[in-house]
Amino acid sequence: MRTSFREKAEYHAAQMYYAENRTMESIAGELGISRSTVSRLLAEARDQGIVRISLHPPIERPSALEHLISERHGIAAHVAASTPEAEPSQRRDTVAVLAAEVIDALVRPDAVIGVAWGQTMTSVVTRLPRRPVRNVEVVQLNGAVNSQPEGTSVGLGTGMSVVENFARAFDARAHVFAVPAFFDYEETKEALWRERSTLRVLDLHHRATVAVFGVGTFGQGAPSQVYAGGYLSREDIDALTAERAVGDVCTVYLRADGSWEDIGLNRRSSGPSPDALRGVPRRVCVVNGPQKVPALRAALAAGLVTDLVLDQVSADLLAGSGAG
């Protein structure tokens, strides 16, 4: 079918208006026609299918970040909407609510849930819905007893309360790991790891189907509870700095590249090694605050995360880092 003169005029007008961003007055002047005729040509171009307009709703920033982070790291990412201007308490609450939803979806009959303790986990457990689930066991992943005098009772209580509150939400059995967060001597840990009471808890670690934890940091920003609570001596922190540690997962320290094996303090830590943690099918990491992103990158580099919940400010920083 031959193209009519009118269709050519419609196309020409549409090209100048949509492709060249010309005004109707400019088009009218060039074609020697009135502005109203240009308007009719554009309307006819749309009706004839010469011009096809499609509308795309804007992608919400959290959804875009979730997709980018998930694709880059091979995980399921969940971003809690927030702004840099949000109060830290507001951002913490938003992350905790979203994390509770993600965790709740993973708690099924016969599950064994390993839970680390800390400020982030304390916020999360208070947001968990109350629903009984058959034959669920909740086990503490790392010890909380503090060998430093100023934090001993607080640390033990924190670890117990996180595990017990988590278990209470699902009418589950709670298993507290009543050992130090860090042993003074490797030999003491090795001896205690042979005791039947300890072996029972370690067996639950090995049978865990879900692990829930945050990341700790002792660098910029607010330090994590393990650092603020006096669990480490000045010498310990100096040694970690010298060994280029950037943070911890379950009180096991990582470098930026995810390595951990030759960091001295890890031999005295009560937390599961990254090798052991990777044996848990679903591993939910909850992060609140951009100061924790370096430690989060290390955890991702070590392959410790399958499900990530974080605030939008941290997600922006992680997505923009290019770190894989």
Side-chain angles (χ1 to χ4, degrees):
M1 179 183 297
R2 296 181 62 182
T3 304
S4 69
F5 175 81
R6 185 71 175 184
E7 288 173 332
K8 290 180 180 178
E10 292 166 358
Y11 176 80
H12 194 192
Q15 183 181 40
M16 287 189 286
Y17 185 75
Y18 290 105
E20 300 174 13
N21 202 29
R22 302 267 296 272
T23 65
M24 290 189 187
E25 288 80 1
S26 172
I27 297 169
E30 180 166 330
L31 297 180
I33 58 178
S34 67
R35 185 185 184 283
S36 60
T37 301
V38 174
S39 178
R40 284 195 298 272
L41 287 173
L42 294 175
E44 290 167 4
R46 291 193 296 270
D47 292 341
Q48 295 296 328
I50 295 172
V51 173
R52 299 177 183 178
I53 299 174
S54 61
L55 299 177
H56 302 278
I59 299 174
E60 293 184 7
R61 182 64 176 165
S63 297
L65 287 169
E66 288 172 350
H67 177 76
L68 178 59
I69 294 170
S70 297
E71 288 292 311
R72 179 179 293 169
H73 297 284
I75 62 174
H78 307 269
V79 177
S82 61
T83 65
E85 295 76 25
E87 292 292 329
S89 59
Q90 180 183 0
R91 188 171 58 230
R92 182 180 63 245
D93 290 346
T94 303
V95 171
V97 169
L98 180 57
E101 293 175 1
V102 171
I103 294 165
D104 178 57
L106 296 175
V107 178
R108 297 164 185 164
D110 303 313
V112 177
I113 314 295
V115 182
W117 57 270
Q119 294 169 333
T120 300
M121 289 300 103
T122 299
S123 298
V124 171
V125 295
T126 61
R127 273 75 175 183
L128 289 170
R130 296 292 296 270
R131 64 179 181 96
V133 182
R134 177 176 55 82
N135 197 33
V136 171
E137 307 206 53
V138 179
V139 60
Q140 185 177 330
L141 284 175
N142 51 324
V145 177
N146 190 350
S147 61
Q148 303 298 321
E150 63 268 27
T152 302
S153 61
V154 174
L156 180 59
T158 298
M160 290 176 62
S161 64
V162 168
V163 173
E164 291 175 348
N165 286 336
F166 197 113
R168 189 174 299 115
F170 300 101
D171 196 19
R173 290 183 292 278
H175 303 271
V176 175
F177 200 17
V179 299
F182 302 97
F183 289 86
D184 290 331
Y185 305 99
E186 295 177 45
E187 298 82 2
T188 308
K189 174 183 173 180
E190 292 170 0
L192 191 57
W193 255 228
R194 295 193 294 267
E195 292 289 330
R196 283 179 296 175
S197 59
T198 306
L199 288 171
R200 181 181 61 82
V201 175
L202 295 177
D203 178 64
L204 285 168
H205 288 181
H206 296 151
R207 293 195 289 112
T209 55
V210 178
V212 183
F213 52 88
V215 295
T217 181
F218 55 94
Q220 61 179 342
S224 301
Q225 191 166 357
V226 69
Y227 311 104
Y231 285 81
L232 301 178
S233 66
R234 183 69 258 174
E235 290 76 15
D236 289 330
I237 295 177
D238 289 343
L240 289 171
T241 301
E243 293 176 296
R244 296 179 291 110
V246 295
D248 76 278
V249 171
C250 301
T251 59
V252 174
Y253 292 87
L254 307 169
R255 297 188 182 91
D257 62 0
S259 62
W260 59 276
E261 294 91 339
D262 59 341
I263 295 177
L265 189 59
N266 289 341
R267 293 190 291 272
R268 297 192 281 115
S269 170
S270 60
S273 71
D275 287 343
L277 193 58
R278 281 192 293 268
V280 181
R282 299 297 290 269
R283 306 180 296 278
V284 183
C285 180
V286 185
V287 172
N288 175 36
Q291 77 277 3
K292 294 192 174 184
V293 171
L296 171 58
R297 290 180 187 143
L300 290 167
L304 302 184
V305 181
T306 62
D307 301 79
L308 174 63
V309 183
L310 73 169
D311 64 281
Q312 188 171 337
V313 178
S314 299
D316 273 316
L317 186 58
L318 179 64
S321 69

